[in-house]
């Protein structure tokens, strides 16, 4: 890819990313992906995979490497009877929701529609429906994957089940996912929107939001955070999504509308809408080209120390575009056993997304320092590790704890399908090789155990 095509291929959501690969291969078929993988290996080039290019750390690109651009693979085919969708590796959440919506169905997605569905899913996939549907990763049923040796496998519950397990939260570290089968859900509409409270009420609202989150049924997911109000002053954000009966969501005495009475709101806009429209409507908040830095921590909930940090750092946002949001993890997402997927943190919790955003030309140091300080302040209340999709290379103290007790199994699968580390995406520390008693490298069967290797499921 050259000229205008190359420029488009290396332009990603975060305008601060300046990695420049030697080759950008626009992939229109799985065969193109196979060709790209083999070319990178034959020429000794670093290999990266680009879906929609929404990773803030720029891991879709590498200097001097070969980038597989999967955006042409964005087709979505829905089976309404089975309530599943076959999703191309380059499809966005908007693509999936538009196709599913034609049949009155929805998919578990993140909060923003322009994000790539594959990247979101492989890393876990927090979202507004997590209480009702679980994470995006929990809804991954099968995948077509091009492995590091150029072979193509189809993984599902019966074929290569270990690989499917690893893809459910282990990130894009095991191959290039050219298509996925995801579970869909019958949710005709949601009640959602936003409520803004003045900053002097932040502590009161957060304390009351804590009670609301503890009492929330699975149908109600409640994000809270700090953003700039229309006049530029800090404001406390409450962003609920109700996936149950619409009448209950609109009932003034119900749990959703009660969120407009946590204080005296500056603005309260909650209404019923198709989920696809609600998600697409938030895209304008995060356009391409701004300079972004993100930090993340995961905490048990809105404990007093966390409220202290939100009040302290949310009250002095470094730019009007910056903010903090706490993603609500409960319900169906918290009912999955830790060992059932690679995504390990399964108890009810909040995932903090600390967003430092500035326009090109504005100084970066104040934004980065604010994000670093906020992350450090949350560390004392946080679980080890953090959300893989948001952790960048600067979070050295968190990387080893991302996958918890699931790390050894992930490392064994990685050693079986990609022993040379051709694919490198979200954090996954590599295990040292373990020789057999005779000193020779262990076989796939030795590494994974009978019934757990590629093709043994």
């Amino acid at each position: 890819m050259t000229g205008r095509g190359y420029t488009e291929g290396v332009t990603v959501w975060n305008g601060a990313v300046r990695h420049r690969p030697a080759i950008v291969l626009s992939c229109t078929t799985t065969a193109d992906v196979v060709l790209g993988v083999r070319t990178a290996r034959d020429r000794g080039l670093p290999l990266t995979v680009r879906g929609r290019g929404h990773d803030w750390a720029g891991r879709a690109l590498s200097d001097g490497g070969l980038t597989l651009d999967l955006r042409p693979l964005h087709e979505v085919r829905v089976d309404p009877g089975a309530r599943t969708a076959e999703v191309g590796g380059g499809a966005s959440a908007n693509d999936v929701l538009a196709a599913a919506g034609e049949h009155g169905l929805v998919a578990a997605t993140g909060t923003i529609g322009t994000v790539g569905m594959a990247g979101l899913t492989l890393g876990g996939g927090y979202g507004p429906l997590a209480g009702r549907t679980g994470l995006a990763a929990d809804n991954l049923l099968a995948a077509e994957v091009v492995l590091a040796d150029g072979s193509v496998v189809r993984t599902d519950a019966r074929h290569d089940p270990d690989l499917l397990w690893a893809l459910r939260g282990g990130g894009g570290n095991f191959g290039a996912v050219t298509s996925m089968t995801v579970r869909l859900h019958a949710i005709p509409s949601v009640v959602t929107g936003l409520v803004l409270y003045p900053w002097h009420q932040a502590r009161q609202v957060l304390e009351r939001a804590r009670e609301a989150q503890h009492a929330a049924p699975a149908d109600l997911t409640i994000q809270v955070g700090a953003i700039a109000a229309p006049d530029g002053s800090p404001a406390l954000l409450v962003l609920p999504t109700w996936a149950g009966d619409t009448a209950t969501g609109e009932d003034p005495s119900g749990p959703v509308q009660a969120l407009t009475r946590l204080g005296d709101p500056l603005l309260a806009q909650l209404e019923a809408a198709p989920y696809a429209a609600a998600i697409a409507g938030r895209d304008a908040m995060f356009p391409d080209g701004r300079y972004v830095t993100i930090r993340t921590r995961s905490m048990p909930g809105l404990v007093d120390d966390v409220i202290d940090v939100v009040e302290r750092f949310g009250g002095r946002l470094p730019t009007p575009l910056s903010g903090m949001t706490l993603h609500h993890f409960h319900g169906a997402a918290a009912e999955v056993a830790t060992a059932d997927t690679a995504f390990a943190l399964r108890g009810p919790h909040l995932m903090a997304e600390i967003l430092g955003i500035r326009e090109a030309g504005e100084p970066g140091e104040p934004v980065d320092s604010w994000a670093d300080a906020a992350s450090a302040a949350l560390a004392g209340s946080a679980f080890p590790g953090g959300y893989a999709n948001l952790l960048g290379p600067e979070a050295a103290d968190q990387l080893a704890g991302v996958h918890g007790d699931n790390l050894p199994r992930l490392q064994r699968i990685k050693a079986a399908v990609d022993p040379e580390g051709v694919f490198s995406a979200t954090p996954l520390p590599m295990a040292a090789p373990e020789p057999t008693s005779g000193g020779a490298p262990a076989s796939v069967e030795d590494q994974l155990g009978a019934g757990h290797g590629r093709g043994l499921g």
Side-chain angles (χ1 to χ4, degrees):
M1 186 182 291
T2 59
R4 180 182 300 176
Y6 177 85
T7 300
E8 183 183 358
V10 299
T11 302
V12 293
W13 173 65
N14 184 0
V17 173
R18 288 291 181 265
H19 307 319
R20 291 297 177 262
I23 302 170
V24 177
L25 179 61
S26 181
C27 300
T28 59
T29 65
T30 298
D32 291 339
V33 178
V34 172
L35 174 63
V37 171
R38 291 177 173 169
T39 299
R41 293 200 61 170
D42 290 347
R43 299 190 181 185
L45 296 174
L47 181 67
T48 59
V49 180
R50 172 180 182 159
R52 303 307 300 185
H54 223 275
D55 173 43
W56 79 270
R59 287 169 287 211
L61 310 171
S62 65
D63 287 325
L66 189 154
T67 293
L68 303 171
D69 187 350
L70 302 190
R71 286 177 298 166
L73 296 173
H74 62 263
E75 184 178 2
V76 179
R77 298 191 301 274
V78 174
D79 182 338
R83 290 188 180 177
T84 61
E86 191 76 13
V87 178
S92 68
N94 282 335
D95 293 330
V96 179
L97 292 175
E102 294 178 3
H103 305 278
L105 301 170
V106 303
T109 72
T111 306
I112 305 300
T114 52
V115 171
M117 194 68 183
L120 171 82
T121 300
L122 298 179
Y126 288 78
L129 298 179
R132 169 75 176 269
T133 68
L135 296 173
D138 300 333
N139 292 276
L140 176 62
L141 302 176
E144 180 185 80
V145 189
V146 179
L147 299 178
D149 62 3
S151 63
V152 181
V153 299
R154 176 80 178 178
T155 176
D156 56 31
R158 294 191 303 163
H159 306 94
D160 290 328
D162 273 290
L163 181 56
L164 179 63
W165 179 89
L167 296 178
R168 288 172 164 168
N173 297 296
F174 306 92
V177 173
T178 50
S179 69
M180 311 183 300
T181 303
V182 302
R183 182 186 296 110
L184 301 178
H185 303 266
I187 302 177
S189 66
V190 296
V191 177
T192 190
L194 59 84
V195 186
L196 287 183
Y197 289 96
W199 195 251
H200 70 269
Q201 296 180 11
R203 176 166 290 275
Q204 168 191 305
V205 172
L206 288 169
E207 290 173 347
R208 293 176 177 177
R210 173 172 59 196
E211 297 173 7
Q213 287 179 337
H214 285 166
D219 282 332
L220 178 59
T221 298
I222 307 169
Q223 291 178 228
V224 297
I227 63 171
D231 65 359
S233 64
L236 198 290
L237 167 71
V238 178
L239 196 162
T241 301
W242 170 259
D245 177 70
T246 300
T248 302
E250 295 179 327
D251 184 347
S253 64
V256 183
Q257 299 302 322
L259 298 173
T260 67
R261 300 189 295 273
L262 304 180
D264 300 313
L266 298 169
L267 175 69
Q269 294 180 338
L270 300 179
E271 60 184 3
Y275 182 66
I279 293 300
R282 295 170 183 155
D283 291 342
M285 297 171 62
F286 299 98
D288 291 355
R290 290 172 174 165
Y291 284 37
V292 181
T293 187
I294 296 179
R295 305 292 184 265
T296 184
R297 298 278 180 178
S298 296
M299 298 80 58
L302 278 171
V303 297
D304 289 345
D305 287 349
V306 171
I307 291 176
D308 289 343
V309 174
V310 174
E311 190 174 32
R312 175 182 168 194
F313 287 91
R316 54 181 183 90
L317 301 175
T319 69
L321 301 174
S322 298
M324 302 175 66
T325 184
L326 305 178
H327 297 261
H328 188 198
F329 185 99
H330 75 129
E335 293 170 0
V336 178
T338 296
D340 285 354
T341 67
F343 188 93
L345 185 57
R346 285 297 180 173
H349 64 270
L350 298 178
M351 183 271 285
E353 184 174 4
I354 303 162
L355 284 152
I357 305 178
R358 59 190 172 92
E359 298 286 6
E362 293 181 340
E365 195 280 331
V367 175
D368 294 345
S369 294
W370 171 85
D372 287 337
S375 176
L378 286 172
S381 303
F383 296 109
Y387 182 34
N389 272 349
L390 297 182
L391 281 175
E394 79 295 326
D397 63 320
Q398 297 176 254
L399 302 185
V402 170
H403 299 292
D405 292 341
N406 289 336
L407 179 59
R409 184 177 177 187
L410 278 168
Q411 290 174 327
R412 291 194 297 272
I413 297 170
K414 176 69 170 178
V417 301
D418 185 14
E420 297 176 10
V422 172
F423 291 96
S424 177
T426 53
L428 179 63
M430 295 285 285
E434 295 185 11
T436 62
S437 58
S443 67
V444 171
E445 291 81 0
D446 289 335
Q447 294 176 67
L448 297 182
H452 290 285
R454 276 182 48 213
L456 301 178

